[in-house]
Structure formats: C-alpha cells, structure tokens
Amino acid sequence: MTAYVLLTEDQNYFVEYLIGELVLSNSISEAMKFNDEGVALRFKQMLHTSCKLVTSVNTYIG
C-alpha cells in the first residue's frame, strides 16, 4: 500500500501537530502516514499557513 509523508527542508519528518505543538522526527518510522495524497497536500498547506513550515509530500511504501 502506498502512503505519503511530509518531509521538511531539514530532512525531518512531520509527526504531529496538536494544540499548537509541532512534532518532527528524523525517523521515517515515526512520521505521520497519509493514505490519500490530497489529504497530505492539504495538510502540507495548513502547516505552511499556520507554522510557516515548508515540506514536500513524499511517497512511503511500507
């Protein structure tokens, strides 16, 4: 099954954003996985708007 993860410019993966707390990790195993590319893209935009975080959407095959 193909999933999608968000990767920052610093090569960290997005883990979660909850109550204003942004959590990143350098481990892909901790990354939040999205089953739908459209949802990942919308989340990417939300993180850019609310946190000024620049990410890319990358394919994760696990």
Side-chain angles (χ1 to χ4, degrees):
M1 180 169 115
T2 302
Y4 303 91
V5 295
L6 300 180
L7 181 65
T8 70
E9 294 176 311
D10 296 330
Q11 305 303 303
N12 289 306
Y13 295 95
F14 168 74
V15 177
E16 69 179 336
Y17 181 70
L18 184 62
I19 311 173
E21 259 325 288
L22 180 62
V23 179
L24 303 173
S25 173
N26 61 358
S27 173
I28 195 167
S29 64
E30 294 180 16
M32 179 179 282
K33 283 115 183 140
F34 298 90
N35 294 327
D36 182 279
E37 185 179 18
V39 172
L41 289 167
R42 288 192 298 275
F43 217 91
K44 172 188 172 184
Q45 183 59 44
M46 185 275 301
L47 289 172
H48 185 264
T49 302
S50 60
C51 303
K52 305 300 183 222
L53 184 67
V54 177
T55 59
S56 62
V57 176
N58 294 275
T59 305
Y60 173 81
I61 300 171

